[in-house]
Amino acid sequence: MNNNHHAALVLNCGSSSLKFAFFKANEDSPCIEGIAEELNSPNARLKYESPAGKESSSIPLADHSSGLEQVLPILPSAPDVIGHRIVHGGETFRQPALITPEVIEQIKSCVPLAPLHNPAGLIGIQTTLSLYPEVPQVAVFDTAFHQTLPARAYRYALPEKLYIKHGVRRYGFHGTSHAYVAQAAASTLGFPLAQSRILSAHLGNGSSATAIRNGESVDTTMGLTPLEGLVMGTRSGDVDPGLHDFLSRSLAMDSEAISHLLNKESGLLGLSGETSDMRRISELANQGQQAAVLAIEIFCYRLAKSLAALCIASGGVDTLIFTGGIGENAAPIRQRVLELLAPLGFMLEPQLNDTHGSTSNGIITKLGSIPQAMVIATNEELMIATLSRKTIS
């Protein structure tokens, strides 16, 4: 990643949170980063880490705007550029965009595709525009990296008019993370990204896998929304579309209740019956709780099955990357997934896996074997800072 001379503030606004990171000019590590969480509630808090250490303070009932106003005094200087993570850019945005009134309108037009995420991103943009009217601002889209998907990968088998008139297609998400780790893998291991076959598994509370061929996303597991694909913390991932009709008829559930069930009550939480946190589920599994054992096995099986399928898009695989909170830290999960992927030729090296590849440039398979698997810590904040700096250069 090339340095340049712009101090960058990176913002990632969720529905009730605001994550931030500040990068001084010519630096690729943030000098301060943190989160304002549980916004619009009595429990709202600001937590951040700087060279002075960790700080936490109560900011009861703060919203995104007042939360951000609490952040500004702790920054070392005014930013030269502000980069915003925007979840959904539809088909409009294939790359980061300098924010203009037109771009804001286009982001608004994508709200029906991401009703929880895009409005929060817009609040972040409007707030920083009012506080820093002279500072250039850049929108970096989760969906942009996946705009290279071919039609065979992004179209659903639905009437064409739904795609033409309403944009019903697969978009994919976590694009900033998948792009970052692919570049980092090529840089770390010294292979040309433009001649590579990579599978990237971003595993966290939200999870997705992507096939990256010659540096471009060619297929991914998430679709029109981040609900499609893998088993996640509270999201079901793929289910039979007929489930909606069954729940409506048999349990008299309306669309809002069904959406809440699939997005907030399912996934690891639904399977374990207790928690969405893989660390806790692993503890319960080690204690012999069968629901937790099954939750882990379903998570790993579905991931392995999706990764094997993505090989069709990438034309095979040379490098598999694990990233995200689970991907970076859960050695037993990686081990089980690679056991299931043994038919593709992966040969796990347990000692390397147990230390997350810390002594082997991230590699956790037998050194010199192909395909190889590796662990790379994602850094979406750095990627957003880098893309924002590049956009205004």
Side-chain angles (χ1 to χ4, degrees), residues 199-333:
L199 298 181
S200 169
H202 177 110
L203 310 175
N205 191 48
S207 297
S208 68
T210 293
I212 302 168
R213 186 167 190 170
N214 302 333
E216 292 188 340
S217 173
V218 288
D219 204 352
T220 191
T221 54
M222 284 180 169
L224 174 72
T225 74
L227 182 59
E228 187 178 348
L230 307 176
V231 173
M232 307 177 217
T234 62
R235 296 180 203 144
S236 64
D238 291 342
V239 294
D240 181 348
L243 174 65
H244 291 67
D245 185 59
F246 174 83
L247 294 173
S248 174
R249 291 175 180 273
S250 300
L251 279 73
M253 295 175 69
D254 61 20
S255 62
E256 188 174 336
I258 294 170
S259 178
H260 190 272
L261 171 75
L262 297 179
N263 279 286
K264 301 293 186 182
E265 300 174 355
S266 300
L268 292 172
L269 174 62
L271 288 167
S272 73
E274 186 165 328
T275 178
S276 63
D277 191 315
M278 182 61 84
R279 292 165 295 191
R280 178 62 181 148
I281 292 173
S282 297
E283 290 174 1
L284 293 170
N286 290 334
Q287 295 165 12
Q289 195 202 82
Q290 288 306 299
V293 172
L294 181 61
I296 290 172
E297 184 63 12
I298 291 174
F299 180 90
C300 294
Y301 172 73
R302 288 266 295 270
L303 172 58
K305 190 167 73 163
S306 293
L307 289 167
L310 287 170
C311 283
I312 302 300
S314 56
V317 56
D318 301 315
T319 303
L320 166 60
I321 303 167
F322 290 96
T323 192
I326 296 172
E328 293 165 27
N329 299 298
I333 300 297

Side-chain angles (χ1 to χ4, degrees), residues 172-194:
F173 300 88
H174 292 139
T176 307
S177 176
H178 290 300
Y180 174 83
V181 296
Q183 290 179 24
S187 175
T188 300
L189 300 183
F191 63 80
L193 188 60

Side-chain angles (χ1 to χ4, degrees), residues 91 113 161-171 224:
E91 289 188 319
L113 296 171
K161 63 184 179 183
L162 288 173
Y163 167 60
I164 299 295
K165 292 184 177 180
H166 303 288
V168 176
R169 52 156 286 179
R170 303 181 68 249
Y171 290 98
L224 174 72

